[in-house]
Amino acid sequence: MSNIIHVVLTGGVGSRLWPLSRKSYPKQYLDLFKDGSLFEMTVKRNQSLCGQVIVVGNCDNHSLSREVMENNKIDYIDIVEATPRNTAAAIAFAAFAAQPDDILIVTPSDHVIVGEDAYAEAIKAGIEKANKGYIVTFGIQPTRPETGYGYIEYKDDKVLSFREKPNQDTAEDFIERGNFLWNSGMFCFRADTFLTELQTFEPKVYATAFNAWKHRKDGELDLALSKEIPSISIDYAVMERSKKIRVVATSFQWSDLGSFESMYDYLKQTGHPVDENGNMVIGTDVYTAFVGLRDSILVHTKDAILVLQKEKSQDVKKIYNTLERHQSKLID
């Protein structure tokens, strides 16, 4: 009988959440939330739904996920990437580690989900479709015209198109039309179904990833062989090309906490203090006063301070990119 395996993707640095999120300590491990880190919440959310866990991490911070898994006494398969090669390869490694008929539930490790019953219902619907040979994506009912997410155009359970992050006018049009979902970046499929489609559409990704996988040592992948793998997302490699795609329209609350605006909303909802003008302080108990400012966020770490207007959250990545160009240690 096939296993249901939770595949946790822990790549990414959360550049829009700098200076909280760093290469060595990305956002999924931050201790900002009442129920533990986002990584810990992700693993626990899926424990009752899946019989096994695979964590695909990277050499910079896989020790952080190991600490969480050991503290919670959860057995898992640890796959350590030598260098980031995007989601198509990361998911291929997990599929190589599974049996062909195993069902993989693939989730990022840094999302917030509220509504356990609705989540379980969506996952079970995904498993049912995956057992029929489909590759399933999970779409989120949009609550606003969001420009920071990709969208799925759908009818019933069929995907009509995937859309990149839109501008404001296009996002408003999507909401008005009513048949668009936010793309959650969560997937469900049999291991062999995914690998067959990957081999069909991206044979080089499949071949080079398999070669790196064959030469792994203690779960760690070889750097030279990994560099040969084309860096491409599962969206471009498979989801936008396969004829086997289906979507489950979910009803749980979801956020990828991909910006300070979404983090502000979540923290405020869970009781984090804001002043009478909607200003928030993150990362320090030092008395902080905002004069003449509304809906602003002050972020404090031991080596950096960031002050921003909430609605300008997407621009934080520009600071990160500038620091990266100058090879600053502030992003490490």
Side-chain angles (χ1 to χ4, degrees), residues 12-30 32 110 260 263 299 301 320 330-332:
V13 297
S15 55
R16 289 182 180 85
L17 289 179
W18 181 90
L20 289 179
S21 189
R22 311 289 179 102
K23 284 181 180 177
S24 60
Y25 215 92
K27 67 173 178 174
Q28 58 264 33
Y29 303 109
L30 294 174
L32 284 173
D110 55 359
F260 277 111
M263 179 168 278
V299 184
T301 67
Y320 183 94
L330 287 171
I331 64 172
D332 292 340

Side-chain angles (χ1 to χ4, degrees), residues 5 62 104 116 208 259 310:
I5 301 175
H62 73 101
L104 307 186
E116 283 183 21
T208 51
S259 69
K310 180 160 70 86

